[in-house]
Amino acid sequence: MNRYKHDFTIPELGPCKIASPVGYSGDNMTKYISDDDRIIFDIHARPGEQCMCDGRHLIERAGPREFIFFDPDKVHAAVVTCGGLCPGLNDVIRAVLMGLWHQYGVRRVSGVQYGYRGFLPEFSLPFIPLKPDIVADIHRGGGTMLGSSRGLGERTVEIVDRIESEGVNMLFTVGGDGTQRGTLRIAEEVERRGLNIAVVGIPKTIDNDLSFIEKSFGFETAVSEAVKVVTSAHVEAVAAVNGIGLVKLMGRDAGFITAYTALGSRYVNYVLVPELPFDLDGENGLLANLERRLKVRGHAMIALAEGAGQEHLKALPTVYDASGNKKLGDIGIFLKDRINSYFAAKNMCVTLRYIDPSYTIRATKANPIDSIYCARLGTRAVHAAMAGKTKMLVSYVNDAFVHIPTELAISKRNCINPESSLWQDVMEATGQPYLLKN
């Protein structure tokens, strides 16, 4: 079986013939990246095994090219932030503007307001001219200076009409799975019209669930803030009679934030994630395990992802939000009520503290590590766009910044593998059974 099966080819608008203005004189010359500089995606190997793959199956490295496609004097770039809030959005906006302005001398950069709706005629939202003095300090706060919204990425023709009428020839889209699906449709419509417009995505998913994206920005900040919440809930639980801390975190389809928070805090006894269904009742179910834990230790800590345990909720009509995500039942409130009912029926006194910090975490500013990562992603998105790359995302894979085809990145969701070392580490940190199943 060929492990090198993915096609990582990045589309280009045309040959690069303009000498890049990015460069330094003297002994420390700029190291330009060639399109032939590639990395292997699957780094696992066995003795004697050879890498039998051509250029299509290797990932193109990100960075400045010696020659570029666009004349900086003729560039009108636009940046848009879509979807829910996430730490680091302002950092990315700042990095894109500063990279265009200071490295390439681009003087026309626009911010699109409130996601894809900022392109649509009925909302009458003007583009915001961006300059260094406007974005200089925006990274000091959370949210996005441009505003954000979900959905509307399917109105491709109208979006491209606005892009074309405004003379935009370089679009940076900052968003997750739904946003990047819209990005791909925009790039395809641009291609159908024969326009030279680079469309480059910067992946934003706080859940860290985009494929071929090793780490999404905002994830580390989210885990750091979640650890603080879990620590507070643990203090409450320890101080109470049969105290139970119950914290619901982000993670619709993937439990990465919850898993890493458990590892980061070392206070969590039960981690509930979408990837692993669990039983509530029965000898091996969560409630019986929780009871045994309380009788031995007198307190317990549960961390659950918002997408966990949906099989226990009353069947809901299939309804989707504006981003195309199926609306979920509230597992946190449900579990809180079930736990209280279970112990009330046993005449066993418990003190349960339930905390849902999701919006607080989303609205916080990026921590220093995430802020640096955002700046590096944004800068490399600029290099890619100036070289005429399109239909792609900037990413970080195997300790290198790279270009990933948008179509590949949205092909499936990244989830926790229950057989992975990550989940093994969670089991060791919590001491919970591998399966809470009868």
Side-chain angles (χ1 to χ4, degrees):
M1 179 179 177
N2 181 14
R3 294 193 287 118
Y4 310 99
K5 61 184 178 180
H6 303 293
D7 188 345
F8 292 104
T9 303
I10 301 297
E12 298 177 347
L13 296 177
C16 295
K17 299 179 179 179
I18 300 171
S20 173
V22 177
Y24 306 94
S25 59
D27 295 332
N28 298 314
M29 298 294 290
T30 296
K31 184 182 186 308
Y32 294 111
I33 301 295
S34 164
D35 283 351
D36 290 332
D37 288 339
R38 309 289 178 98
I39 69 166
I40 297 173
F41 174 66
D42 188 347
I43 60 174
H44 299 90
R46 294 177 179 174
E49 185 180 49
Q50 292 182 329
C51 172
M52 302 298 292
C53 52
D54 58 28
R56 292 176 304 137
H57 304 123
L58 297 173
I59 308 177
E60 191 175 279
R61 288 186 58 205
R65 268 51 181 176
E66 186 173 4
F67 292 91
I68 57 178
F69 178 79
F70 286 102
D71 179 346
D73 290 337
K74 298 177 181 178
V75 167
H76 179 193
V79 57
V80 60
T81 54
C82 305
L85 294 184
C86 174
L89 285 168
N90 279 330
D91 303 69
V92 171
I93 296 168
R94 185 183 190 278
V96 169
L97 183 280
M98 294 300 195
L100 288 166
W101 191 281
H102 292 300
Q103 296 194 64
Y104 288 97
V106 173
R107 290 296 180 263
R108 196 177 179 198
V109 184
S110 297
V112 182
Q113 298 188 70
Y114 298 105
Y116 285 133
R117 72 171 48 207
F119 290 105
L120 301 176
E122 68 264 32
F123 299 109
S124 301
L125 293 168
F127 286 4
I128 300 174
L130 298 179
K131 296 182 179 180
D133 60 330
I134 295 174
V135 305
D137 295 321
I138 61 173
H139 62 297
R140 299 183 185 277
T144 162
M145 68 160 288
L146 299 176
S148 188
S149 68
R150 296 186 182 276
L152 301 175
E154 73 281 356
R155 294 174 60 177
T156 312
V157 172
E158 294 163 280
I159 291 172
V160 177
D161 284 346
R162 178 74 181 279
I163 290 171
E164 192 173 3
S165 69
E166 295 278 357
V168 171
N169 53 10
M170 192 176 291
L171 176 64
F172 300 93
T173 61
V174 189
D177 182 79
T179 300
Q180 301 309 334
R181 290 182 188 280
T183 299
L184 183 59
R185 287 192 292 265
I186 291 168
E188 289 171 344
E189 177 64 20
V190 163
E191 190 174 45
R192 277 192 290 271
R193 299 188 188 191
L195 303 173
N196 279 334
I197 299 174
V199 184
V200 174
I202 301 170
K204 178 229 72 178
T205 168
I206 202 168
D207 297 344
N208 209 37
D209 60 353
L210 266 175
S211 293
F212 304 96
I213 309 297
E214 196 165 285
K215 183 181 71 170
S216 179
F217 76 81
F219 176 75
E220 286 199 7
T221 303
V223 170
S224 178
E225 293 299 309
V227 166
K228 295 177 186 177
V229 175
V230 164
T231 301
S232 297
H234 175 258
V235 170
E236 285 281 348
V238 170
V241 176
N242 287 327
I244 302 171
L246 177 61
V247 176
K248 186 180 80 171
L249 299 170
M250 294 80 72
R252 296 179 54 86
D253 302 297
F256 289 109
I257 290 177
T258 309
Y260 275 85
T261 298
L263 293 174
S265 70
R266 299 288 166 166
Y267 290 135
V268 179
N269 308 115
Y270 302 98
V271 174
L272 307 177
V273 295
E275 294 89 338
L276 283 166
F278 61 91
D279 289 340
L280 283 171
D281 301 306
E283 182 65 16
N284 295 321
L286 173 65
L287 296 173
N289 270 278
L290 186 57
E291 180 181 358
R292 289 192 290 268
R293 161 81 190 183
L294 291 177
K295 287 179 177 178
V296 174
R297 298 288 292 163
H299 64 275
M301 186 69 229
I302 305 169
L304 72 153
E306 62 184 309
Q310 292 297 305
E311 66 272 16
H312 297 294
L313 302 178
K314 183 179 179 180
L316 298 173
T318 303
V319 179
Y320 295 88
D321 65 19
S323 295
N325 299 310
K326 184 179 178 181
K327 289 191 175 182
L328 303 176
D330 194 329
I331 185 62
I333 296 296
F334 171 83
L335 198 54
K336 180 191 75 168
D337 293 342
R338 279 299 308 271
I339 291 171
N340 281 328
S341 298
Y342 176 84
F343 286 107
K346 289 180 169 286
N347 292 318
M348 183 174 172
C349 175
V350 297
T351 307
L352 191 151
R353 305 293 189 219
Y354 172 61
I355 306 174
D356 178 356
S358 300
Y359 288 107
T360 302
I361 292 173
R362 288 182 181 278
T364 195
K365 69 176 183 178
N367 67 20
I369 297 300
D370 257 333
S371 184
I372 293 167
Y373 186 52
C374 290
R376 300 184 78 188
L377 284 174
T379 299
R380 281 154 181 80
V382 167
H383 291 318
M386 290 300 300
K389 309 288 184 181
T390 191
K391 286 185 173 180
M392 56 147 284
L393 303 176
V394 285
S395 180
Y396 190 72
V397 174
N398 297 334
D399 201 32
F401 288 94
V402 296
H403 301 156
I404 298 291
T406 306
E407 187 172 12
L408 200 57
I410 63 174
S411 60
K412 63 178 182 178
R413 290 286 179 91
N414 187 29
C415 296
I416 294 175
N417 179 355
E419 297 180 357
S420 66
S421 61
L422 169 62
W423 192 246
Q424 181 63 44
D425 290 342
V426 171
M427 294 298 95
E428 292 174 356
T430 61
Q432 74 183 68
Y434 178 77
L435 289 175
L436 291 166
K437 300 284 288 184
N438 294 297

